Amino acid sequence: MAKSPLGIIFAAAALVLAVSPEARKAARKLAVKGAGIALELADQVKDRTKEPPSAEAIKNEKKNTEHHLLP
């Protein structure tokens, strides 16, 4: 029965993680860094896809700012 190379790689990785505490520690660090990168990328995408403020919103903000600055 022939096994795929990908299956063999996954089996070897599972065996190493099951046996070696150092490998588990390294895998955990890698997973945390990967999650951090994924969250940072998601935040960047959200920031770039925000709608620009409308002209009316900008005008209202300027009016409110000027009101606070006047004595």
Side-chain angles (χ1 to χ4, degrees), residues 25-60:
K25 190 174 183 179
R28 189 178 309 117
K29 284 182 182 181
L30 237 156
V32 169
K33 285 184 181 181
I37 290 170
L39 290 172
E40 187 176 328
L41 287 174
D43 286 343
Q44 288 178 3
V45 168
K46 284 180 188 176
D47 289 343
R48 291 182 186 207
T49 57
K50 284 184 181 176
E51 289 185 23
S54 66
E56 185 177 333
I58 293 172
K59 203 185 306 182
N60 287 337

Side-chain angles (χ1 to χ4, degrees), residues 1-16:
M1 186 168 145
K3 292 188 176 186
S4 71
L6 192 58
I8 293 171
I9 290 171
F10 281 135
L15 181 65
V16 168

